[in-house]
């Protein structure tokens, strides 16, 4: 039994990947941890660490309020709110359907905004920390990632302003601009092109192909990421300095993505993307089929 440190945390998107691992790591360090997600069964193993799983759909205000009421009934403060729930939203920018981008923004952007609003009073009472998993995808493009990238870029912009506004309230804000982490989020089978997509070509599906081609073998192990993230949270919480906004690059290639997006010309970035996702052949096929036809 781990000795309690008297601090309370709530982690969203905790049924797998980052949220699951961060919940375990926090519990191991003595936090009372509430873990939220839709798949309640997948969070059952967290109980072994003393984590309390609760049903949460961040795209539903009723669900968020119910989670808040439950946590509030058992605690008068919240030291850590980790807004982590997210979905991958892969689709071509010119073909993305309304329900696809609405779902993406509901979970990746409006969800954390709503959760922050609903839990802010509890976090202010603790002079606690608001943490988020944004993404390097918000800094650099990747093929068929326009909606995911834009949801995460908007989230980072929200976080940056939020930090400024909550500074007088004694709340700290941490934006984990995350690179590659080994989790379920990149599972290719979940991705679907529309039936008459321009990127279905000669029996090929360029969306699935690009994801399969991308080498994820050097992505960071999720437990390693979780340990680093909780270290970052604790050092921010314990810091007596005046800073309240921490923009932290975690996960594989995270700092590199920032460097490339800030320093290198667009042509270099595009060449890298074509290479990394092995898009040359597929894009040539698209070019040949659609530009020759129109001549
Ligand atoms: N893995 C990476 O390389 C990477 C890189 C940069 C950023 N990130 C970000 O890291 C965060 C965690 O992702 P992950 O990599 O750990 O992926 P993951 O294993 O797929 O986890 C995503 C989590 O979000 C939850 N979720 C999805 N929709 C939800 C909803 N409507 N309400 C509540 N929870 C919801 C899922 O639970 P349920 O389905 O049970 O609800 C799941 O627990 C995401 O925000 C992701 O964008 C990941």
């Amino acid at each position: 039994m781990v000795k309690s440190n008297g601090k309370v945390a709530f982690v969203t998107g905790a049924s797998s990947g980052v949220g699951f691992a961060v919940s375990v790591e926090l519990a191991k360090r003595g936090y009372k941890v509430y873990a939220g997600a839709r798949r309640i069964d997948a969070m059952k193993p967290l109980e072994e660490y003393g984590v309390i799983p609760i049903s949460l759909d961040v795209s539903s205000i009723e669900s968020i309020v119910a989670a808040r009421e439950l946590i509030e009934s058992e605690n008068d403060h919240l030291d850590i709110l980790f807004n982590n729930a997210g979905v991958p939203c892969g689709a071509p920018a010119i073909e993305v359907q309304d329900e696809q981008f609405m779902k993406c923004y509901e979970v990746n952007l409006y969800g954390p905004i709503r959760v922050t609003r609903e839990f802010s009073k509890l976090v202010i009472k603790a002079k606690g920390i608001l943490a988020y998993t944004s993404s390097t995808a918000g800094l650099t493009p990747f093929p068929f990632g326009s909606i995911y990238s834009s949801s995460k870029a908007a989230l980072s912009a929200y976080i940056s302003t939020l930090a400024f506004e909550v500074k007088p309230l004694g709340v700290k804000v941490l934006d984990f601009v995350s690179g590659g982490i080994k989790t379920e989020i990149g599972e290719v089978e979940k991705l679907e092109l529309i039936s008459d997509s321009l990127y279905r070509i000669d029996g090929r599906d360029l969306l699935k192909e690009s994801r399969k081609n991308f080498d994820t073998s050097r992505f960071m192990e999720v437990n390693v990421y979780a340990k680093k993230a909780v270290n970052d949270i604790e050092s921010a919480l314990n810091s007596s300095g005046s800073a309240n906004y921490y923009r932290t690059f975690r996960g594989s290639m995270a700092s590199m993505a920032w460097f490339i997006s800030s320093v290198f010309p667009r042509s270099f970035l595009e060449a890298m993307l074509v290479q990394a996702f092995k898009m040359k052949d597929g894009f040539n096929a698209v070019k040949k089929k659609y530009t020759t036809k129109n001549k």
Side-chain angles (χ1 to χ4, degrees), residues 23-79:
S23 298
V24 170
E25 190 58 34
L26 287 166
K28 282 183 177 170
R29 299 191 194 191
Y31 291 84
K32 179 179 181 186
V33 183
Y34 292 85
R38 292 167 305 171
R39 289 171 297 156
I40 201 93
D41 284 354
M43 291 188 288
K44 201 99 184 96
L46 287 170
E47 289 175 353
E48 189 189 317
Y49 300 91
V51 174
I52 305 156
I54 56 177
S55 170
L56 175 75
D57 180 349
V58 298
S59 64
S60 152
I61 185 62
E62 291 79 15
S63 173
I64 296 168
V65 169
R68 197 243 300 140
E69 285 173 353
L70 188 147
I71 293 174
E72 211 168 21
S73 70
E74 297 173 0
N75 308 276
D76 65 358
H77 69 283
L78 184 63
D79 297 277

Side-chain angles (χ1 to χ4, degrees), residues 62-261:
E62 291 79 15
S63 173
I64 296 168
V65 169
R68 197 243 300 140
E69 285 173 353
L70 188 147
I71 293 174
E72 211 168 21
S73 70
E74 297 173 0
N75 308 276
D76 65 358
H77 69 283
L78 184 63
D79 297 277
I80 299 166
L81 171 62
F82 198 115
N83 276 288
N84 165 73
V87 282
C89 350
I94 56 170
E95 295 175 353
V96 64
Q97 303 295 295
D98 285 15
E99 63 271 21
Q100 288 177 300
F101 65 70
M102 289 308 291
K103 182 187 169 199
C104 187
Y105 291 149
E106 280 290 347
V107 179
N108 291 2
L109 180 61
Y110 309 147
I113 294 174
R114 288 190 185 112
V115 173
T116 302
R117 182 188 67 213
E118 293 304 319
F119 283 83
S120 60
K121 287 197 177 76
L122 281 174
V123 178
I124 292 166
K125 275 192 194 159
K127 289 198 166 45
I129 192 152
L130 298 164
Y132 301 80
T133 30
S134 74
S135 173
T136 53
L139 303 172
T140 59
F142 71 103
F144 310 119
S146 61
I147 300 304
Y148 180 76
S149 290
S150 56
S151 73
K152 292 294 186 180
L155 178 64
S156 284
Y158 164 79
I159 296 166
S160 168
T161 307
L162 162 81
F164 181 65
E165 293 172 3
V166 298
K167 196 167 189 175
L169 298 165
V171 171
K172 291 171 178 163
V173 178
L174 216 161
D175 180 2
F176 286 109
V177 186
S178 303
I181 316 153
K182 283 186 188 161
T183 69
E184 290 175 14
I185 204 162
E187 280 178 9
V188 173
E189 295 317 317
K190 292 178 187 165
L191 300 168
E192 201 60 59
L193 284 173
I194 56 172
S195 55
D196 59 346
S197 171
L198 298 185
Y199 302 97
R200 274 185 205 281
I201 192 152
D202 305 331
R204 294 162 68 179
D205 174 327
L206 297 190
L207 169 56
K208 285 200 169 86
E209 216 175 270
S210 67
R211 295 296 194 272
K212 279 183 187 152
N213 287 342
F214 188 60
D215 180 11
T216 57
S217 64
R218 279 186 283 179
F219 273 21
M220 184 177 275
E221 295 295 336
V222 72
N223 295 337
V224 174
Y225 179 95
K227 279 195 174 66
K228 286 177 189 281
V230 176
N231 288 345
D232 293 331
I233 288 172
E234 289 196 318
S235 62
L237 263 181
N238 298 331
S239 161
S240 55
S242 63
N244 85 317
Y245 172 57
Y246 303 83
R247 189 168 179 245
T248 306
F249 293 85
R250 289 284 176 231
S252 81
M253 299 288 287
S255 307
M256 182 62 86
W258 173 81
F259 186 69
I260 289 169
S261 67

